[in-house]
Amino acid sequence: MTGMAGLWRKDPDLHGSTVVVTGGARGIGAATATAFANRGARVWIGDIDAAVAETTAQSVPGAHAAALDVTDRDSWTAFLEQVTAESGRPVDILVNNAGVMPVGAFDREADRTTDLILDVNVRGVLNGMRAVVPGMVDRGSGHIVNIASMAGMIPLPGMVTYNAGKFAVLGASLAARREYDGTGVTVCAVLPAAVRTELASGARLGGALPTVDPEDVAAAVVATVRTRAARTSVPGWVAPAWALVDAFVPEAVERLARRLAGDRRALDLDAAARHDYLARIDRQARAHHGEPRS
């Protein structure tokens, strides 16, 4: 999965490269923006929460921020025009990180929530790739990293729509990687396990999935510029281990192991601890669905 030839590439010189990180105002995105900036890259944070993105950019050396709605093609056009005009060069690296994670019982999920998950987590990634790929192909170079999730390989109760979206991101990444093979453009997917960010607020972390920090994911994203790995899980052993489980472990044994590990935690979250995140996501979902914000 990692592609052994890529492991022997030298660390690339990122100084002066233009890097775009979507959803970079918080969590994994903010950590990734910082990691690239520390390597000398010119980093642009695109986020629907422009004010928070600007605050984050002020804490990242040399970073810039601008409003970006990843679900809107026109927003992508305006954002990239600003990036190109102010940086003086096109995008070298795109990190499609923007995502939302409302979870819970599938049969009680509101349509607006389903739409938001799929539009941000899937359409946002497709829009981002479409926005930068033509220019990268013309130049004969470019690198795209799509932040998927181990939920793109491991189905979990309480995450039906989120699972669907992250499976789609992994599939789109692998297909685009093949489609643009030989053009100088590489597409990689990074699949974090449970991450200590606001998205996981109210959850009992550990058990079914190992837990990592945003900085761990950011380091894996930067590493793909060297390895060009098709698929990288964080931690690195999780995807290979799950592939073996999926291929060889009988469902009855897997069911028992899941029960012991507590894989139904997404159905039993701490509502109070998760309130602020869900309230913000609900406002975003209502606006996205054309409903008045409550």
Side-chain angles (χ1 to χ4, degrees), residues 121-191:
N121 294 7
V122 182
R123 187 178 296 276
V125 169
L126 299 179
N127 285 345
M129 289 198 291
R130 281 199 189 103
V132 301
V133 159
M136 288 180 172
V137 171
D138 287 346
R139 296 190 305 274
S141 67
H143 186 59
I144 298 171
V145 184
N146 295 327
I147 305 300
S149 167
M150 280 311 302
M153 291 181 67
I154 303 176
L156 294 167
M159 303 179 75
V160 172
T161 306
Y162 186 77
N163 270 135
K166 291 304 184 179
F167 268 74
V169 170
L170 178 58
S173 302
L174 297 177
R177 180 182 180 87
R178 296 272 61 85
E179 184 164 337
Y180 296 102
D181 189 30
T183 67
V185 179
T186 50
V187 181
C188 302
V190 170
L191 292 77

Coordinates of all heavy atoms in Angstrom, one line a residue, residues 121-191:
N121 N -17.8 16.4 3.0 CA -16.8 15.4 3.1 C -16.4 14.7 1.7 O -15.3 14.2 1.6 CB -17.2 14.3 4.1 CG -17.3 14.8 5.5 OD1 -17.1 16.0 5.8 ND2 -17.5 13.9 6.4
V122 N -17.4 14.7 0.8 CA -17.2 14.0 -0.5 C -17.1 15.1 -1.6 O -16.1 15.2 -2.3 CB -18.3 13.0 -0.8 CG1 -18.0 12.3 -2.1 CG2 -18.4 12.0 0.3
R123 N -18.2 15.8 -1.8 CA -18.2 16.8 -2.9 C -17.0 17.8 -2.7 O -16.4 18.3 -3.6 CB -19.5 17.5 -3.0 CG -19.6 18.5 -4.2 CD -21.0 19.1 -4.2 NE -22.0 18.1 -4.5 CZ -22.3 17.6 -5.7 NH1 -21.7 18.1 -6.7 NH2 -23.3 16.7 -5.8
G124 N -16.8 18.2 -1.4 CA -15.7 19.1 -1.2 C -14.3 18.6 -1.6 O -13.5 19.4 -2.2
V125 N -14.1 17.3 -1.4 CA -12.8 16.7 -1.9 C -12.8 16.7 -3.5 O -11.8 17.0 -4.1 CB -12.7 15.3 -1.3 CG1 -11.6 14.5 -2.0 CG2 -12.4 15.4 0.2
L126 N -13.9 16.3 -4.1 CA -14.0 16.2 -5.5 C -13.8 17.6 -6.1 O -13.1 17.8 -7.1 CB -15.3 15.6 -6.0 CG -15.6 14.2 -5.5 CD1 -16.9 13.8 -6.1 CD2 -14.5 13.2 -6.0
N127 N -14.5 18.6 -5.5 CA -14.3 20.0 -6.0 C -12.9 20.5 -5.9 O -12.4 21.2 -6.8 CB -15.2 21.0 -5.2 CG -16.7 20.9 -5.5 OD1 -17.0 20.3 -6.6 ND2 -17.5 21.4 -4.7
G128 N -12.2 20.2 -4.8 CA -10.8 20.6 -4.6 C -9.9 20.0 -5.7 O -9.1 20.6 -6.3
M129 N -10.1 18.7 -5.9 CA -9.2 18.0 -6.9 C -9.5 18.6 -8.3 O -8.6 18.9 -9.0 CB -9.5 16.5 -6.9 CG -8.9 15.8 -5.7 SD -8.7 14.0 -5.9 CE -10.4 13.5 -6.0
R130 N -10.8 18.8 -8.6 CA -11.1 19.4 -9.9 C -10.5 20.8 -10.1 O -10.1 21.2 -11.2 CB -12.6 19.5 -10.1 CG -13.3 18.2 -10.5 CD -14.7 18.5 -11.1 NE -15.5 17.3 -11.3 CZ -16.5 16.9 -10.5 NH1 -16.8 17.7 -9.4 NH2 -17.1 15.8 -10.7
A131 N -10.5 21.5 -9.0 CA -10.0 22.9 -9.1 C -8.5 23.0 -9.4 O -8.1 24.0 -10.0 CB -10.3 23.6 -7.8
V132 N -7.7 22.1 -8.9 CA -6.2 22.2 -9.0 C -5.6 21.3 -10.1 O -4.5 21.5 -10.6 CB -5.5 22.0 -7.7 CG1 -6.0 23.0 -6.7 CG2 -5.7 20.6 -7.1
V133 N -6.3 20.1 -10.4 CA -5.7 19.1 -11.2 C -5.3 19.7 -12.6 O -4.2 19.4 -13.1 CB -6.6 17.9 -11.3 CG1 -6.3 17.0 -12.6 CG2 -6.4 17.0 -10.1
P134 N -6.2 20.4 -13.3 CA -5.8 20.8 -14.7 C -4.5 21.6 -14.7 O -3.6 21.4 -15.5 CB -7.0 21.7 -15.1 CG -8.2 21.2 -14.3 CD -7.6 20.8 -13.0
G135 N -4.3 22.5 -13.8 CA -3.1 23.3 -13.7 C -1.9 22.5 -13.4 O -0.8 22.6 -13.9
M136 N -2.1 21.5 -12.5 CA -1.0 20.7 -12.1 C -0.6 19.8 -13.3 O 0.6 19.6 -13.5 CB -1.4 19.8 -10.9 CG -1.5 20.5 -9.6 SD -2.0 19.4 -8.2 CE -1.8 20.5 -6.8
V137 N -1.5 19.2 -14.0 CA -1.2 18.4 -15.2 C -0.5 19.2 -16.2 O 0.5 18.8 -16.8 CB -2.5 17.8 -15.7 CG1 -2.2 17.1 -17.1 CG2 -3.1 16.8 -14.8
D138 N -0.9 20.5 -16.5 CA -0.3 21.3 -17.4 C 1.2 21.6 -17.1 O 2.1 21.6 -17.9 CB -1.0 22.7 -17.5 CG -2.3 22.5 -18.3 OD1 -2.6 21.5 -18.9 OD2 -3.2 23.5 -18.2
R139 N 1.4 21.7 -15.7 CA 2.8 22.0 -15.3 C 3.6 20.7 -15.2 O 4.9 20.8 -15.1 CB 2.8 22.7 -13.9 CG 2.2 24.1 -14.0 CD 2.4 24.8 -12.7 NE 1.9 24.1 -11.5 CZ 0.7 24.1 -11.0 NH1 -0.2 24.8 -11.6 NH2 0.4 23.4 -9.9
G140 N 3.0 19.6 -15.1 CA 3.7 18.3 -15.0 C 4.1 18.0 -13.5 O 5.0 17.2 -13.3
S141 N 3.5 18.7 -12.6 CA 3.8 18.5 -11.2 C 2.7 18.9 -10.3 O 2.0 19.9 -10.6 CB 5.1 19.2 -10.8 OG 4.9 20.6 -10.8
G142 N 2.6 18.2 -9.1 CA 1.5 18.6 -8.2 C 1.3 17.4 -7.2 O 1.5 16.3 -7.6
H143 N 0.8 17.8 -6.0 CA 0.6 16.7 -5.0 C -0.7 17.0 -4.3 O -0.9 18.2 -3.9 CB 1.8 16.7 -4.0 CG 1.7 15.6 -3.0 ND1 1.7 14.3 -3.4 CD2 1.7 15.6 -1.7 CE1 1.7 13.5 -2.3 NE2 1.6 14.3 -1.2
I144 N -1.6 16.0 -4.2 CA -2.9 16.2 -3.5 C -2.9 15.1 -2.4 O -2.7 14.0 -2.6 CB -4.0 16.0 -4.5 CG1 -4.0 17.1 -5.6 CG2 -5.4 16.0 -3.8 CD1 -5.0 16.8 -6.7
V145 N -3.3 15.6 -1.2 CA -3.5 14.7 -0.1 C -5.0 14.8 0.4 O -5.4 15.9 0.7 CB -2.6 15.0 1.1 CG1 -2.8 14.0 2.2 CG2 -1.1 15.1 0.6
N146 N -5.7 13.8 0.3 CA -7.1 13.8 0.8 C -7.2 13.1 2.2 O -6.7 12.0 2.3 CB -8.0 13.0 -0.2 CG -8.1 13.7 -1.6 OD1 -8.0 14.9 -1.7 ND2 -8.2 12.9 -2.6
I147 N -7.7 13.9 3.1 CA -7.8 13.3 4.5 C -9.1 12.5 4.5 O -10.2 13.0 4.5 CB -7.9 14.4 5.5 CG1 -6.7 15.3 5.4 CG2 -8.0 13.8 6.9 CD1 -5.3 14.7 5.6
A148 N -8.9 11.2 4.5 CA -10.0 10.2 4.7 C -10.2 9.9 6.2 O -10.2 10.8 7.0 CB -9.8 9.0 3.8
S149 N -10.2 8.7 6.5 CA -10.4 8.3 7.9 C -10.3 6.8 7.9 O -10.5 6.1 6.9 CB -11.7 8.7 8.4 OG -12.0 8.1 9.7
M150 N -9.9 6.2 9.0 CA -10.1 4.7 9.1 C -11.5 4.3 9.0 O -11.8 3.2 8.8 CB -9.4 4.2 10.4 CG -7.9 4.1 10.4 SD -7.3 3.2 8.9 CE -8.1 1.6 9.0
A151 N -12.4 5.3 9.2 CA -13.8 5.1 8.9 C -14.1 4.9 7.4 O -15.2 4.5 7.0 CB -14.7 6.2 9.5
G152 N -13.1 5.1 6.6 CA -13.1 4.8 5.2 C -12.8 3.4 4.9 O -12.9 2.9 3.7
M153 N -12.4 2.6 5.9 CA -12.2 1.2 5.8 C -13.0 0.4 6.8 O -13.4 -0.7 6.5 CB -10.7 0.9 5.9 CG -9.8 1.4 4.8 SD -8.0 1.0 5.1 CE -8.1 -0.8 5.0
I154 N -13.2 0.9 8.0 CA -13.8 0.2 9.1 C -15.2 0.7 9.3 O -15.4 1.8 9.7 CB -13.0 0.3 10.4 CG1 -11.5 -0.2 10.1 CG2 -13.6 -0.5 11.5 CD1 -10.6 0.0 11.3
P155 N -16.2 -0.1 9.0 CA -17.6 0.4 9.3 C -17.9 0.4 10.8 O -17.5 -0.6 11.5 CB -18.5 -0.7 8.6 CG -17.6 -1.9 8.5 CD -16.2 -1.4 8.4
L156 N -18.5 1.5 11.3 CA -18.8 1.6 12.7 C -20.3 2.0 12.9 O -20.8 2.9 12.2 CB -17.9 2.7 13.3 CG -16.4 2.3 13.3 CD1 -15.6 3.6 13.6 CD2 -16.1 1.2 14.3
P157 N -20.9 1.4 13.9 CA -22.3 1.8 14.2 C -22.3 3.3 14.6 O -21.4 3.8 15.3 CB -22.6 0.9 15.4 CG -21.7 -0.3 15.3 CD -20.5 0.3 14.7
G158 N -23.4 3.9 14.2 CA -23.6 5.3 14.5 C -22.9 6.3 13.6 O -23.0 7.5 13.7
M159 N -22.3 5.7 12.5 CA -21.5 6.5 11.6 C -21.8 6.1 10.1 O -21.0 6.2 9.3 CB -20.0 6.4 11.9 CG -19.6 6.7 13.3 SD -17.8 6.6 13.6 CE -17.2 8.0 12.8
V160 N -23.1 5.8 9.9 CA -23.4 5.2 8.5 C -23.1 6.2 7.4 O -22.4 5.9 6.5 CB -24.9 4.8 8.5 CG1 -25.3 4.5 7.1 CG2 -25.2 3.7 9.4
T161 N -23.6 7.5 7.6 CA -23.3 8.5 6.5 C -21.9 8.9 6.5 O -21.3 9.0 5.4 CB -24.2 9.7 6.7 OG1 -25.6 9.3 6.7 CG2 -24.1 10.6 5.5
Y162 N -21.3 9.0 7.7 CA -19.9 9.4 7.7 C -19.0 8.3 7.1 O -18.1 8.6 6.4 CB -19.5 9.6 9.2 CG -18.1 10.2 9.4 CD1 -17.7 11.5 9.1 CD2 -17.0 9.3 9.8 CE1 -16.4 12.0 9.3 CE2 -15.7 9.8 9.9 CZ -15.5 11.1 9.7 OH -14.2 11.6 9.8
N163 N -19.3 7.0 7.4 CA -18.6 5.9 6.8 C -18.8 6.0 5.3 O -17.8 5.8 4.6 CB -19.2 4.6 7.3 CG -18.5 4.0 8.5 OD1 -19.2 3.6 9.4 ND2 -17.2 4.0 8.6
A164 N -20.0 6.2 4.8 CA -20.2 6.3 3.4 C -19.3 7.3 2.7 O -18.7 7.1 1.7 CB -21.7 6.6 3.1
G165 N -19.2 8.5 3.4 CA -18.4 9.6 2.8 C -17.0 9.3 2.8 O -16.3 9.5 1.8
K166 N -16.5 8.7 3.9 CA -15.0 8.4 4.0 C -14.6 7.2 3.1 O -13.5 7.2 2.5 CB -14.6 8.2 5.4 CG -14.7 9.5 6.2 CD -13.9 10.6 5.6 CE -13.8 11.9 6.5 NZ -13.0 13.0 5.9
F167 N -15.5 6.2 2.9 CA -15.2 5.2 1.9 C -15.1 5.8 0.5 O -14.3 5.5 -0.3 CB -16.4 4.2 1.9 CG -16.1 3.0 2.8 CD1 -16.2 3.1 4.2 CD2 -15.8 1.7 2.3 CE1 -16.1 2.0 5.1 CE2 -15.6 0.6 3.2 CZ -15.8 0.8 4.5
A168 N -16.0 6.8 0.3 CA -16.0 7.5 -1.0 C -14.7 8.3 -1.2 O -14.1 8.3 -2.3 CB -17.2 8.4 -1.2
V169 N -14.2 8.9 -0.2 CA -13.0 9.7 -0.3 C -11.8 8.8 -0.6 O -11.0 9.1 -1.5 CB -12.7 10.5 1.0 CG1 -11.3 11.1 1.0 CG2 -13.7 11.6 1.1
L170 N -11.7 7.6 0.1 CA -10.7 6.7 -0.2 C -10.7 6.2 -1.7 O -9.7 6.2 -2.4 CB -10.7 5.5 0.8 CG -9.7 4.4 0.5 CD1 -8.2 5.0 0.6 CD2 -9.8 3.3 1.5
G171 N -11.9 5.8 -2.1 CA -12.1 5.3 -3.5 C -11.8 6.4 -4.5 O -11.1 6.1 -5.5
A172 N -12.2 7.6 -4.3 CA -11.9 8.7 -5.2 C -10.4 9.0 -5.3 O -9.9 9.2 -6.4 CB -12.7 10.0 -4.8
S173 N -9.8 8.9 -4.1 CA -8.3 9.1 -4.1 C -7.6 8.1 -4.9 O -6.7 8.4 -5.7 CB -7.8 9.1 -2.6 OG -8.5 10.1 -1.9
L174 N -7.9 6.8 -4.7 CA -7.2 5.7 -5.4 C -7.5 5.8 -6.9 O -6.6 5.5 -7.7 CB -7.6 4.4 -4.8 CG -7.2 4.2 -3.3 CD1 -7.8 2.8 -2.8 CD2 -5.7 4.3 -3.1
A175 N -8.7 6.1 -7.2 CA -9.1 6.2 -8.7 C -8.4 7.4 -9.3 O -7.8 7.2 -10.5 CB -10.6 6.3 -8.8
A176 N -8.4 8.5 -8.7 CA -7.7 9.7 -9.3 C -6.2 9.4 -9.4 O -5.5 9.9 -10.3 CB -8.0 10.9 -8.4
R177 N -5.6 8.7 -8.4 CA -4.2 8.4 -8.4 C -3.9 7.6 -9.7 O -2.9 7.9 -10.4 CB -3.9 7.6 -7.2 CG -2.4 7.2 -7.1 CD -2.2 6.4 -5.8 NE -0.8 5.9 -5.7 CZ 0.2 6.6 -5.1 NH1 -0.1 7.8 -4.6 NH2 1.4 6.2 -5.0
R178 N -4.7 6.7 -10.0 CA -4.5 5.9 -11.2 C -4.7 6.7 -12.5 O -4.0 6.6 -13.5 CB -5.5 4.7 -11.2 CG -5.2 3.7 -10.1 CD -4.2 2.6 -10.5 NE -2.8 3.1 -10.8 CZ -1.9 3.4 -9.9 NH1 -2.2 3.2 -8.6 NH2 -0.7 3.8 -10.3
E179 N -5.8 7.5 -12.5 CA -6.1 8.3 -13.7 C -5.0 9.3 -14.0 O -4.7 9.5 -15.2 CB -7.4 9.1 -13.4 CG -7.9 9.9 -14.7 CD -9.3 10.3 -14.6 OE1 -10.1 9.6 -13.8 OE2 -9.7 11.2 -15.3
Y180 N -4.3 9.9 -13.0 CA -3.3 10.8 -13.3 C -1.9 10.3 -13.2 O -0.9 11.1 -13.2 CB -3.5 12.1 -12.4 CG -4.8 12.7 -12.8 CD1 -6.0 12.6 -12.0 CD2 -5.0 13.5 -14.0 CE1 -7.2 13.1 -12.3 CE2 -6.2 14.0 -14.3 CZ -7.3 13.9 -13.5 OH -8.5 14.4 -13.9
D181 N -1.8 9.0 -13.1 CA -0.5 8.4 -13.0 C 0.3 8.7 -14.3 O -0.2 8.6 -15.4 CB -0.6 6.8 -12.9 CG 0.7 6.1 -12.6 OD1 1.5 6.7 -12.0 OD2 0.8 5.0 -13.1
G182 N 1.6 9.1 -14.1 CA 2.4 9.5 -15.3 C 2.3 10.9 -15.7 O 3.1 11.4 -16.5
T183 N 1.5 11.7 -15.0 CA 1.3 13.1 -15.4 C 2.2 14.0 -14.5 O 2.3 15.2 -14.8 CB -0.1 13.6 -15.2 OG1 -0.5 13.6 -13.8 CG2 -1.1 12.8 -16.0
G184 N 2.8 13.5 -13.5 CA 3.5 14.3 -12.5 C 2.7 14.7 -11.3 O 3.2 15.3 -10.4
V185 N 1.4 14.3 -11.4 CA 0.5 14.6 -10.3 C 0.3 13.4 -9.4 O -0.1 12.3 -10.0 CB -0.8 15.2 -10.8 CG1 -1.8 15.5 -9.6 CG2 -0.6 16.4 -11.7
T186 N 0.5 13.5 -8.1 CA 0.2 12.3 -7.3 C -1.0 12.6 -6.3 O -1.2 13.8 -5.9 CB 1.4 12.0 -6.4 OG1 1.9 13.1 -5.8 CG2 2.5 11.3 -7.3
V187 N -1.8 11.6 -6.1 CA -2.9 11.7 -5.2 C -2.7 10.7 -4.1 O -2.5 9.5 -4.3 CB -4.2 11.5 -5.9 CG1 -5.4 11.7 -4.9 CG2 -4.4 12.5 -7.1
C188 N -2.8 11.1 -2.8 CA -2.6 10.2 -1.7 C -3.8 10.4 -0.7 O -4.4 11.5 -0.6 CB -1.3 10.6 -0.9 SG 0.2 10.5 -1.9
A189 N -4.1 9.3 0.0 CA -5.1 9.4 1.0 C -4.4 9.1 2.4 O -3.6 8.2 2.5 CB -6.2 8.3 0.8
V190 N -4.8 9.9 3.4 CA -4.4 9.7 4.7 C -5.6 9.3 5.6 O -6.6 10.0 5.5 CB -3.7 11.0 5.3 CG1 -3.4 10.8 6.8 CG2 -2.4 11.2 4.6
L191 N -5.5 8.2 6.3 CA -6.6 7.7 7.1 C -6.3 7.7 8.6 O -5.7 6.7 9.1 CB -6.9 6.3 6.6 CG -7.4 6.1 5.2 CD1 -6.3 6.2 4.2 CD2 -8.1 4.7 5.1

